[in-house]
Amino acid sequence: MLVLTRKIGSNILIGDDIKISLISVDGDKARIGIEAPKDIRILREESITGTINENKRAASEVMDLKELFSNYDKDSKK
C-alpha cells in the first residue's frame, strides 16, 4: 500500500486516466474527488461489505425457510 500525505487541492494520478483530488479535510474526515473513465467502477468498501453481509443474512433466512417447509412436509405426512 502506498501511503501519501497531501495538501488540500493536490492531486494523485493513477495511470493515464484516473485522478484523485483532495478537496477538503474536516477533523477526521477527508473529502476526495475521483475522475475516471465511465467504465471504471468506483465503490466504497463499506458499501460492498454491507451488501455482502446483507446477502449472507438473506441467504441464511432462505435456508431457515427451507428447513421450516421441510419440517412442515414431514409433519403433514404423519
Side-chain angles (χ1 to χ4, degrees):
M1 173 188 302
L2 174 63
V3 178
L4 301 171
T5 301
R6 306 301 308 156
K7 292 183 179 182
I8 294 173
S10 62
N11 302 310
I12 299 167
L13 300 175
I14 301 174
D16 294 330
D17 51 4
I18 299 174
K19 181 166 93 172
I20 300 174
S21 303
L22 181 58
I23 306 299
S24 66
V25 177
D26 182 17
D28 63 347
K29 295 182 183 179
R31 292 187 67 210
I32 61 170
I34 303 171
E35 292 180 35
K38 292 186 185 292
D39 62 324
I40 301 291
R41 289 187 342 159
I42 301 172
L43 305 169
R44 292 179 297 126
E45 182 180 26
E46 63 271 16
S47 296
I48 298 301
T49 304
T51 300
I52 289 169
N53 290 338
E54 180 62 24
N55 287 344
K56 286 179 182 177
R57 186 191 64 73
S60 71
E61 288 179 3
V62 169
M63 295 305 292
D64 291 344
L65 286 174
K66 286 181 180 178
E67 184 179 325
L68 175 68
F69 283 116
S70 70
N71 290 338
Y72 176 77
D73 287 342
K74 290 176 190 174
D75 291 341
S76 64
K77 293 178 182 178
K78 289 182 182 179

